[in-house]
Amino acid sequence: MRSVLFIFVLITASASAGDLKPGDGDVYVRAHCSACHSLALVTSQRGDRTFWLKTIRWMQKTQNLWPIPEEQEKLILDYLASHYDDDDRGRRPHLNAELLPGANAGQ
């Protein structure tokens, strides 16, 4: 039954591409992640491979995320770490500390 559900989710998720950047592994992200929550939750996050693996393990431990086949998990982690990594914030870099309000207040 679980494999039938996964195939249904995989087909449904593939039909609605969402906002994911195209790439190897995006179909598994759609299938596994969008089964429980919006892909906007995925695309709003940034992190390295360790961040994404910890997130998956947390969801498996606390949110009833099912076991992901090893090869699919590898593709998911490769995809997320390369398309939604910590360096790709999608906004301007942080301001230097000396430019922040109150930084020179004591001078």
Side-chain angles (χ1 to χ4, degrees):
M1 178 66 178
R2 183 168 275 194
S3 62
V4 172
L5 176 62
F6 175 73
I7 291 169
F8 173 76
V9 170
L10 183 63
I11 292 169
T12 305
S14 296
S16 59
D19 295 323
L20 289 179
K21 298 174 185 177
D24 290 341
D26 64 345
V27 69
Y28 296 114
V29 172
R30 283 190 198 101
H32 289 286
C33 302
S34 69
C36 297
H37 54 72
S38 164
L39 290 175
L41 185 58
V42 176
T43 61
S44 67
Q45 305 298 310
R46 296 291 184 276
D48 61 11
R49 187 181 188 84
T50 301
F51 166 81
W52 290 110
L53 180 59
K54 285 181 180 180
T55 302
I56 289 171
R57 293 298 180 258
W58 174 82
M59 287 185 288
Q60 288 172 326
K61 183 177 181 181
T62 66
Q63 306 299 308
N64 287 332
L65 176 62
W66 47 84
I68 300 172
E70 189 175 329
E71 184 57 32
Q72 291 178 20
E73 183 175 83
K74 179 191 178 311
L75 288 168
I76 289 169
L77 291 170
D78 290 346
Y79 171 82
L80 292 172
S82 65
H83 290 83
Y84 298 97
D85 67 333
D86 210 19
D87 294 332
D88 180 26
R89 282 280 168 199
R91 57 181 303 232
R92 66 168 173 74
H94 294 292
L95 292 173
N96 292 331
E98 64 269 5
L99 298 176
L100 295 173
N104 297 319
Q107 297 178 0

